[in-house]
Amino acid sequence: MAPPVTERWCLALILLFLSLFVQSSTAIYCGAEDCYALLGVAQDANASDIKRSYYKLSLQHHPDKNPDPESRKLFVKIATAYEILKDNTTRAQYDYAIEHPEEVFYNTAQYYRAKYGHKSDPRAVLVGLLVVLSAFQYLNNVARYNEAIASVKRTPAYKNKLKALELERTGGVTNKKKGSKQIDQKLQEELSNELDLQIKGAEKPSVWDLLGVRFILLPYTIIKLLVWYSSWVWRYKIKKAPYSWEDASYLTRRSLSVPADAWANLDEYRKEDLVQKRLWEKQNLENYFAEMRKESKRRR
C-alpha cells in the first residue's frame, strides 16, 4: 500500500532538507571545490608538499602578478584551502567530513568551533572571569550595605541610640539653642561610627567573601575541612568523647536549620537551654517540635 500524499510530501521535504545540509557540511570548507584539488595535491600529501604547492600557485595567481579577475578569485580559493590544510586540526576535521558526509551536524559544529572558538589560554580566561565577577560582587555588596545602613539610620530606634550616645558623650548636657535641634553633622558621623550596626542580610563587605578569593583559597578550605572531619570522626565516632560546647552548639544549630548570624544573636541562656536538649538526636528533635506546636496552639 502506497503512503498517503501528505506523508510522501513530508518525506520529500525531509530528504531535501538533509541533502542541503549534507552539501553544506562538506562545502563550508572550500565551497564546491575540493581543498586538495585546489592546491593540486593528493589527500595523503605531507605538510611540506602542501606548503610548496601553495607558494607555487600563489605566485602564479597573486593579484600583483596576474591581474585577471578569474585568477584573483582562484587565488582567494587557494589561500582558503591552504589555511584549512596547513593546520593539523582543521585538516583532520576536513578529512573526517570527506569520509563521513552523513554526520552533517557534527561536521558543521566542528568547523565553526575551530573557526570561531576562542584561542585564549583557558587559565587566563578563568582568571579574568573571576576578577570581573569578584568586582561586580564587591560593588553589589557595598551598594546593599550602604542602602541598609541608610535605611537603619532613618528608624526611631537608631535615632534614640544616637541621642543616648550623644548624652553620654556630653555628660548629659544638650544644646538647647535655637536652630540646634538636630545633632551637628560632624558629631553625628562620629557617633554613628561608634554604634555597632549589625544588619542581617547586609553584612559589611569583606574581600574574604569574594568569589575570586574563595576560589584561590579553595585548596586550603578543602584541607581544613578534611582535617576537621577527621578530627570529628576520631573524637566522637571512635573515642566516643562527649561533644564540646562549640560542637554541640553547631549540631543544635544545624538540627534547627538556624543561620550562624541568627544563632549568634540568641542570648546565652537560650543557647544553653537548646544545647542541653540534645536536639541533634532525632527523637529529642521530634519531641521539641511537638512541644513547640502544643505551645503555639495553647497561645492561640
Side-chain angles (χ1 to χ4, degrees), residues 37-64:
L38 284 170
L39 293 178
V41 295
Q43 189 171 348
D44 58 353
N46 57 38
S48 299
D49 293 337
I50 292 174
K51 186 176 182 179
R52 190 182 305 110
S53 179
Y54 166 70
Y55 281 122
K56 179 181 178 181
L57 292 172
S58 62
L59 289 175
Q60 181 181 349
H61 296 283
H62 195 280
D64 294 339

Side-chain angles (χ1 to χ4, degrees), residues 22-281:
V22 168
Q23 291 176 3
S24 63
S25 69
T26 54
I28 52 179
Y29 289 93
C30 294
E33 305 285 345
D34 181 272
C35 294
Y36 291 102
L38 284 170
L39 293 178
V41 295
Q43 189 171 348
D44 58 353
N46 57 38
S48 299
D49 293 337
I50 292 174
K51 186 176 182 179
R52 190 182 305 110
S53 179
Y54 166 70
Y55 281 122
K56 179 181 178 181
L57 292 172
S58 62
L59 289 175
Q60 181 181 349
H61 296 283
H62 195 280
D64 294 339
K65 302 289 185 179
N66 193 337
D68 184 17
E70 293 300 323
S71 184
R72 182 189 297 269
K73 294 179 182 179
L74 182 58
F75 174 77
V76 173
K77 293 181 180 180
I78 292 171
T80 302
Y82 180 67
E83 288 296 320
I84 292 169
L85 299 181
K86 76 174 183 178
D87 184 80
N88 292 333
T89 302
T90 54
R91 181 180 179 182
Q93 292 172 357
Y94 178 64
D95 291 342
Y96 188 89
I98 293 175
E99 297 172 2
H100 303 85
E102 73 282 358
E103 299 184 19
V104 179
F105 297 104
Y106 176 79
N107 294 331
T108 305
Q110 288 293 91
Y111 170 78
Y112 285 110
R113 179 183 178 185
K115 184 175 182 180
Y116 298 109
H118 62 78
K119 308 295 183 182
S120 304
D121 188 341
R123 293 170 295 183
V125 175
L126 178 61
V127 171
L129 181 62
L130 287 175
V131 170
V132 172
L133 291 178
S134 297
F136 277 109
Q137 181 186 7
Y138 185 77
L139 293 176
N140 179 64
N141 291 345
V142 169
R144 287 181 55 202
Y145 180 74
N146 291 338
E147 183 179 352
I149 290 293
S151 177
V152 168
K153 287 184 177 180
R154 290 192 293 267
T155 60
Y158 171 80
K159 293 179 180 179
N160 292 336
K161 286 184 179 181
L162 200 63
K163 191 68 176 178
L165 187 59
E166 181 201 14
L167 293 174
E168 181 181 341
R169 287 275 300 273
T170 58
V173 179
T174 57
N175 191 349
K176 298 182 179 180
K177 292 183 179 180
K178 187 178 180 181
S180 301
K181 293 183 178 180
Q182 298 295 332
I183 302 175
D184 180 77
Q185 186 68 26
K186 185 177 180 180
L187 177 61
Q188 183 178 0
E189 290 297 327
E190 294 178 357
L191 296 175
S192 297
N193 294 333
E194 293 184 23
L195 289 178
D196 185 19
L197 297 177
Q198 297 292 337
I199 306 174
K200 183 178 179 181
E203 292 75 17
K204 193 171 183 179
S206 172
V207 294
W208 299 106
D209 297 328
L210 297 180
L211 181 63
V213 176
R214 289 189 174 186
F215 182 81
I216 294 173
L217 297 177
L218 183 60
Y220 167 76
T221 305
I222 293 175
I223 293 174
K224 185 178 178 180
L225 180 62
L226 290 175
V227 171
W228 174 84
Y229 182 75
S230 302
S231 175
W232 184 283
V233 171
W234 171 253
R235 281 185 295 172
Y236 303 130
K237 300 297 182 181
I238 298 177
K239 296 183 67 177
K240 304 295 182 180
Y243 291 114
S244 65
W245 169 258
E246 292 78 9
D247 293 337
S249 299
Y250 165 74
L251 290 173
T252 303
R253 180 172 62 83
R254 190 180 68 173
S255 300
L256 295 173
S257 301
V258 177
D261 54 349
W263 177 264
N265 291 330
L266 292 178
D267 59 83
E268 295 301 321
Y269 175 79
R270 178 61 173 164
K271 291 180 184 177
E272 185 176 356
D273 179 61
L274 291 173
V275 170
Q276 289 179 352
K277 293 180 183 295
R278 300 179 66 86
L279 299 178
W280 55 86
E281 297 178 3

